[in-house]
Amino acid sequence: MGDTFAITRTSRKIIAQFLDNYSLEQLNKVPHGFNNNLIWNIAHIVVVQQMLVYNLSGLPMMVSKEMVDLYKRGTKPEHEVTQAEVDVIRELLTTTIDQTEKDFADRIFKNYNEFTTMTGFNLKSAEEAMAFNYYHEAVHTGVMMGIRKFI
Protein backbone atom coordinates (compact mmCIF):
# COMPACT_ATOMS: atom_id res chain seq x y z
CA MET A 1 0.00 0.00 0.00
CA GLY A 2 3.04 2.27 -0.09
CA ASP A 3 2.11 3.63 -3.51
CA THR A 4 -1.42 4.32 -2.27
CA PHE A 5 -0.12 6.58 0.46
CA ALA A 6 2.50 8.26 -1.74
CA ILE A 7 -0.22 9.19 -4.24
CA THR A 8 -2.56 10.34 -1.48
CA ARG A 9 0.16 12.49 0.13
CA THR A 10 0.85 14.15 -3.23
CA SER A 11 -2.86 14.79 -3.68
CA ARG A 12 -3.07 16.30 -0.20
CA LYS A 13 -0.07 18.58 -0.89
CA ILE A 14 -1.81 19.89 -4.02
CA ILE A 15 -4.99 20.45 -2.01
CA ALA A 16 -3.06 22.23 0.77
CA GLN A 17 -1.79 24.74 -1.80
CA PHE A 18 -5.32 26.11 -2.00
CA LEU A 19 -5.08 26.89 1.73
CA ASP A 20 -1.74 28.61 1.14
CA ASN A 21 -2.73 30.62 -1.92
CA TYR A 22 -6.22 31.89 -1.11
CA SER A 23 -7.49 34.20 1.61
CA LEU A 24 -10.08 33.19 4.17
CA GLU A 25 -12.62 35.24 2.24
CA GLN A 26 -11.75 33.46 -1.02
CA LEU A 27 -11.86 30.03 0.66
CA ASN A 28 -15.41 30.80 1.85
CA LYS A 29 -16.73 32.34 -1.39
CA VAL A 30 -19.33 30.29 -3.27
CA PRO A 31 -19.15 31.55 -6.86
CA HIS A 32 -22.28 31.95 -8.95
CA GLY A 33 -23.17 28.60 -10.51
CA PHE A 34 -21.46 26.53 -7.82
CA ASN A 35 -22.99 24.79 -4.79
CA ASN A 36 -19.93 24.98 -2.58
CA ASN A 37 -16.59 26.66 -2.01
CA LEU A 38 -12.91 25.78 -1.74
CA ILE A 39 -12.90 25.09 1.99
CA TRP A 40 -16.02 22.92 1.83
CA ASN A 41 -14.37 20.76 -0.84
CA ILE A 42 -11.19 20.40 1.22
CA ALA A 43 -13.03 19.45 4.40
CA HIS A 44 -15.30 17.13 2.40
CA ILE A 45 -12.24 15.28 1.07
CA VAL A 46 -11.02 14.71 4.64
CA VAL A 47 -14.43 13.59 5.89
CA VAL A 48 -15.17 11.21 3.03
CA GLN A 49 -11.82 9.43 3.35
CA GLN A 50 -12.57 8.88 7.03
CA MET A 51 -16.10 7.66 6.36
CA LEU A 52 -15.08 5.29 3.57
CA VAL A 53 -12.10 3.76 5.35
CA TYR A 54 -12.90 3.92 9.07
CA ASN A 55 -16.66 4.23 9.42
CA LEU A 56 -17.37 1.46 6.91
CA SER A 57 -14.80 -0.68 8.75
CA GLY A 58 -16.69 -0.14 12.01
CA LEU A 59 -13.82 1.86 13.50
CA PRO A 60 -13.75 5.32 15.11
CA MET A 61 -13.04 8.19 12.75
CA MET A 62 -10.46 10.92 13.38
CA VAL A 63 -13.00 13.64 12.58
CA SER A 64 -15.82 14.79 14.81
CA LYS A 65 -19.49 14.00 14.25
CA GLU A 66 -20.03 17.75 13.79
CA MET A 67 -17.45 17.87 11.02
CA VAL A 68 -19.06 14.86 9.32
CA ASP A 69 -22.47 16.55 9.56
CA LEU A 70 -21.10 19.73 7.95
CA TYR A 71 -19.11 18.15 5.12
CA LYS A 72 -20.59 14.76 4.21
CA ARG A 73 -22.16 14.09 0.81
CA GLY A 74 -25.31 16.12 0.28
CA THR A 75 -24.26 19.07 2.41
CA LYS A 76 -23.29 22.57 1.35
CA PRO A 77 -21.55 25.45 3.11
CA GLU A 78 -23.76 26.55 6.01
CA HIS A 79 -21.47 29.14 7.62
CA GLU A 80 -18.36 31.20 7.07
CA VAL A 81 -15.45 29.02 8.14
CA THR A 82 -13.09 30.73 10.58
CA GLN A 83 -9.30 30.74 10.40
CA ALA A 84 -9.25 28.39 13.40
CA GLU A 85 -11.43 25.92 11.47
CA VAL A 86 -9.16 26.24 8.42
CA ASP A 87 -6.18 25.46 10.66
CA VAL A 88 -7.88 22.29 11.93
CA ILE A 89 -8.76 21.21 8.39
CA ARG A 90 -5.16 21.87 7.27
CA GLU A 91 -3.84 19.69 10.09
CA LEU A 92 -6.32 16.91 9.31
CA LEU A 93 -5.18 16.81 5.67
CA THR A 94 -1.91 15.31 6.89
CA THR A 95 -2.66 13.66 10.21
CA THR A 96 -5.54 11.55 8.92
CA ILE A 97 -3.34 10.06 6.19
CA ASP A 98 -0.41 9.53 8.57
CA GLN A 99 -2.68 7.63 10.96
CA THR A 100 -4.40 5.70 8.19
CA GLU A 101 -1.04 4.52 6.87
CA LYS A 102 -0.03 3.43 10.39
CA ASP A 103 -3.36 1.66 10.87
CA PHE A 104 -2.94 -0.26 7.61
CA ALA A 105 0.57 -1.27 8.69
CA ASP A 106 -0.89 -2.40 12.03
CA ARG A 107 -3.60 -4.36 10.15
CA ILE A 108 -6.50 -2.93 12.14
CA PHE A 109 -8.93 -3.11 9.20
CA LYS A 110 -10.51 -6.53 9.74
CA ASN A 111 -14.13 -5.95 8.70
CA TYR A 112 -15.75 -3.83 6.01
CA ASN A 113 -19.37 -3.04 5.24
CA GLU A 114 -19.54 -3.28 1.45
CA PHE A 115 -20.61 0.02 -0.09
CA THR A 116 -21.51 1.22 -3.58
CA THR A 117 -20.63 4.86 -4.19
CA MET A 118 -23.01 7.22 -5.95
CA THR A 119 -20.76 6.91 -9.02
CA GLY A 120 -21.17 3.13 -9.06
CA PHE A 121 -17.90 1.93 -7.53
CA ASN A 122 -18.51 -1.12 -5.34
CA LEU A 123 -16.09 -1.04 -2.41
CA LYS A 124 -15.51 -4.33 -0.59
CA SER A 125 -12.54 -3.47 1.65
CA ALA A 126 -10.66 -0.63 3.29
CA GLU A 127 -7.93 -1.12 0.65
CA GLU A 128 -10.48 -0.60 -2.13
CA ALA A 129 -11.80 2.46 -0.28
CA MET A 130 -8.32 4.00 -0.28
CA ALA A 131 -7.96 3.23 -3.99
CA PHE A 132 -11.35 4.87 -4.69
CA ASN A 133 -10.19 7.83 -2.62
CA TYR A 134 -7.79 8.78 -5.48
CA TYR A 135 -10.75 9.24 -7.77
CA HIS A 136 -12.79 11.12 -5.18
CA GLU A 137 -10.00 13.55 -4.36
CA ALA A 138 -9.29 14.14 -8.06
CA VAL A 139 -12.95 14.96 -8.76
CA HIS A 140 -13.02 17.54 -5.98
CA THR A 141 -9.62 18.95 -6.93
CA GLY A 142 -11.07 19.53 -10.39
CA VAL A 143 -14.09 21.30 -8.90
CA MET A 144 -11.73 23.46 -6.85
CA MET A 145 -9.75 24.36 -9.97
CA GLY A 146 -13.01 25.55 -11.50
CA ILE A 147 -14.00 27.55 -8.42
CA ARG A 148 -10.66 29.34 -8.25
CA LYS A 149 -11.32 30.96 -11.63
CA PHE A 150 -14.31 32.80 -10.17
CA ILE A 151 -13.01 34.01 -6.82
Side-chain angles (χ1 to χ4, degrees):
M1 297 234 12
D3 290 344
T4 297
F5 289 101
I7 292 167
T8 302
R9 285 182 201 293
T10 299
S11 173
R12 297 291 175 102
K13 285 178 186 171
I14 292 166
I15 293 163
Q17 289 175 359
F18 285 90
L19 298 174
D20 296 335
N21 295 325
Y22 294 92
S23 68
L24 185 59
E25 180 181 347
Q26 289 172 313
L27 291 171
N28 275 295
K29 182 174 177 56
V30 178
H32 179 73
F34 288 85
N35 295 324
N36 50 49
N37 54 31
L38 293 175
I39 196 62
W40 182 91
N41 278 278
I42 296 168
H44 173 75
I45 284 167
V46 171
V47 164
V48 167
Q49 183 270 334
Q50 289 289 294
M51 293 177 72
L52 290 174
V53 177
Y54 287 87
N55 192 50
L56 289 172
S57 294
L59 297 169
M61 295 184 287
M62 292 172 262
V63 295
S64 68
K65 180 187 179 320
E66 294 78 19
M67 188 171 179
V68 170
D69 289 343
L70 287 171
Y71 300 108
K72 66 186 176 185
R73 184 183 77 186
T75 64
K76 60 183 180 179
E78 298 292 334
H79 72 287
E80 292 281 316
V81 174
T82 66
Q83 186 60 52
E85 289 170 294
V86 170
D87 295 342
V88 168
I89 293 164
R90 175 190 299 277
E91 181 74 14
L92 287 168
L93 273 174
T94 305
T95 58
T96 53
I97 298 307
D98 291 344
Q99 187 63 48
T100 303
E101 184 172 30
K102 180 184 181 310
D103 290 343
F104 269 101
D106 292 344
R107 301 183 187 279
I108 73 162
F109 301 102
K110 306 282 187 213
N111 302 308
Y112 196 80
N113 295 309
E114 192 171 322
F115 177 74
T116 302
T117 70
M118 65 181 279
T119 49
F121 290 90
N122 188 37
L123 308 177
K124 297 176 185 167
S125 68
E127 292 84 359
E128 288 183 12
M130 279 303 298
F132 170 76
N133 193 59
Y134 301 155
Y135 171 82
H136 183 257
E137 290 194 13
V139 166
H140 285 279
T141 301
V143 169
M144 292 163 54
M145 289 176 175
I147 289 172
R148 73 180 178 185
K149 294 177 183 178
F150 299 98
I151 58 173

